[in-house]
Amino acid sequence: MSEVVVIGSSFAGLTGALEAKRKLGPGHTVTLISRTADFVYIPSLIWVPFGWREVKDISIPVKPILDKHGVDFLKAEVSRVNPETNTVSTSEGEVAYDYLLVASGVSTRFDLIEGLGPEENTYSVCTPGHAEKAREGWKKLVEDPGPVVVGATQGASCMGAGYEFLFNLEYAARKAGVRDRVDITWITPEPYLAHFGIDGMTGGEAMLKGFMKKFNIKYVTNSEVERITETDVVLKDGRKLPYKYSMIIPPFNGARFVKDSGDLGDEKGFIPINDTYRHKKYANIFAAGLAVAVPLPFTTPVAMGMPKTGFPSEESAKIASHNIVKLLQGEPESSLKAKPWGKIPGLCVLDAGHKEVVILSNHMLKPRQFAVMIPNPLVNIAKRALEKYFLWKTRRGLSYLM
Ligand SMILES: Cc1cc2nc3c(=O)[nH]c(=O)nc-3n(C[C@H](O)[C@H](O)[C@H](O)COP(=O)(O)OP(=O)(O)OC[C@H]3O[C@@H](n4cnc5c(N)ncnc54)[C@H](O)[C@@H]3O)c2cc1C
């Protein structure tokens, strides 16, 4: 009997653990370690500040799901992975593994810019707590309207969530009857609108330029934030953007424990993997989801990171768990699946505040044989339908579904 250990209980970790157990059956133990007891459907956090979702509506306790499917759950904080002894150090003690899947996501780096983040001057929607705090600020803005700055810093990778928040805020301000007193500016490290950190898609820039014009939103591309004071977002080119409310996506690094685990991760704490999601140095360690290192195949004037959305996070976890199972079953290396992150299909819905854009491509990164952005200017139903489907499948532990 072998021990498979998975770190993380979100898109990648939950999928990886359930898939490994489903394929391995009772002969091997699969243990999921996570510091959070709930799976939270993060894509819906953009609605929390406007009161359109409560965190509890999009949270599911993972233990009952794991119990039902024969996966052990350890709620614990991981402090270190020790590849030389094949153990994970946690707040609940040492856990030994034969195979390890690291799906521990990212840590937010608000500290890189003076005045950035919910502990300082700007809001965030990266975690449930951040999104709830952003709601307090939103309520104050509605009572006492003024200028708003929304965006992402240099080095950020989660541009899609920033755009969604921007257009939802614009719509919420209209609904609240304060839009005429809320001047909105979007700041982005992207060289052009809708670059998204994936070198854009045909028609995307024109579409988002049209949205900005129609909804009277100013924007600054190639922007770099110098610091954020209590009243202004100060850009490196000297521009000062006054604000009363600001939500700015920070850069991400890998989970903090990765940095404390020797050469497990790169300088930013992401896990170096090959196309089978296997660690480049440690043959019994795999990684999936946000945790993996994905070098960008292009450069931009202002630094950006690779966006890692939910679909590829799950897909990479399925590939990694498939490969762990094959190795445990004594199959040859040639039976391992390989698919680089950039070749996973792109599948995403951008909620744009009572309108939406469905993004589909056969590969996340170029070259692509097809890539389309389908706007629906009348209503936003696709993201809500996707949320319902996702929560339904997660509650049932149907990790093999798309
Ligand atoms: C605001 C926002 C909106 C988004 N919207 C979309 C969208 O519309 N569509 C889309 O496809 N994607 C979206 N994304 C991206 C999507 O959320 C990610 O792709 C997804 O969360 C990645 O899952 P993951 O499992 O790799 O990592 P994460 O979701 O970051 O999960 C990491 C897991 O590891 C655990 N963990 C971390 N450190 C430790 C530790 N030290 N000890 C124990 N456990 C630990 C955490 O508790 C968590 O369970 C959005 C992201 C954000 C922030």
Side-chain angles (χ1 to χ4, degrees), residues 139-197:
K139 284 183 185 161
K140 284 187 205 149
L141 185 79
V142 171
E143 281 164 20
D144 182 18
V148 165
V149 177
V150 178
T153 63
Q154 54 272 30
S157 51
C158 196
M159 233 53 65
Y163 277 113
E164 288 191 302
F165 183 85
L166 172 76
F167 293 121
N168 275 273
L169 180 141
E170 194 282 332
Y171 176 61
R174 267 187 286 141
K175 279 194 78 170
V178 296
R179 182 65 178 91
D180 56 336
R181 282 160 289 156
V182 174
D183 190 37
I184 306 175
T185 304
W186 164 251
I187 58 166
T188 177
E190 297 164 289
Y192 54 86
L193 296 180
H195 179 287
F196 291 126

Side-chain angles (χ1 to χ4, degrees), residues 191-269:
Y192 54 86
L193 296 180
H195 179 287
F196 291 126
I198 54 166
D199 211 4
M201 296 177 87
T202 311
E205 183 184 12
M207 191 186 297
L208 286 197
K209 271 187 173 171
F211 283 7
M212 297 296 186
K213 193 169 173 202
K214 179 164 186 212
F215 296 103
N216 191 22
I217 300 170
K218 300 186 191 97
Y219 59 88
V220 185
T221 50
N222 284 315
S223 80
E224 285 186 272
V225 181
E226 171 75 33
R227 67 181 186 283
I228 294 156
T229 69
E230 285 180 6
T231 52
D232 296 284
V233 175
V234 183
L235 301 184
K236 284 207 169 152
D237 64 8
R239 264 182 281 189
K240 284 186 177 176
L241 307 171
Y243 74 91
K244 252 192 187 162
Y245 184 91
S246 180
M247 195 298 291
I248 297 182
I249 303 276
F252 294 152
N253 275 9
R256 291 200 174 85
F257 73 84
V258 178
K259 290 281 273 178
D260 298 330
S261 304
D263 55 5
L264 181 70
D266 64 15
E267 71 288 351
K268 287 191 171 167

Side-chain angles (χ1 to χ4, degrees), residues 4-20:
V4 178
V5 170
V6 178
I7 305 174
S9 60
S10 184
F11 287 77
L14 200 53
T15 302
L18 289 167
E19 279 300 275

Side-chain angles (χ1 to χ4, degrees), residues 302-325:
V302 176
M304 293 182 71
M306 170 79 198
K308 298 179 195 143
T309 49
F311 181 70
S313 295
E314 287 196 332
E315 281 304 295
S316 58
K318 284 178 186 170
I319 297 169
S321 60
H322 169 93
N323 291 341
I324 291 172
V325 169

Side-chain angles (χ1 to χ4, degrees), residues 7-14 33-46 76-79 103-106 125-127 158 160-162 164 249 252 255-257 288-291 308-314 341 347-351 383 386:
I7 305 174
S9 60
S10 184
F11 287 77
L14 200 53
I33 308 172
S34 184
R35 63 180 174 203
T36 42
D38 287 347
F39 169 90
V40 177
Y41 187 71
I42 296 171
S44 297
L45 288 180
I46 53 140
E77 175 89 28
V78 171
S79 54
S104 46
V106 291
V125 285
C126 292
T127 69
C158 196
E164 288 191 302
I249 303 276
F252 294 152
R256 291 200 174 85
F257 73 84
L290 291 177
K308 298 179 195 143
T309 49
F311 181 70
S313 295
E314 287 196 332
W341 187 277
L347 168 62
C348 206
V349 178
L350 188 110
D351 178 276
K383 183 159 169 137
L386 202 59

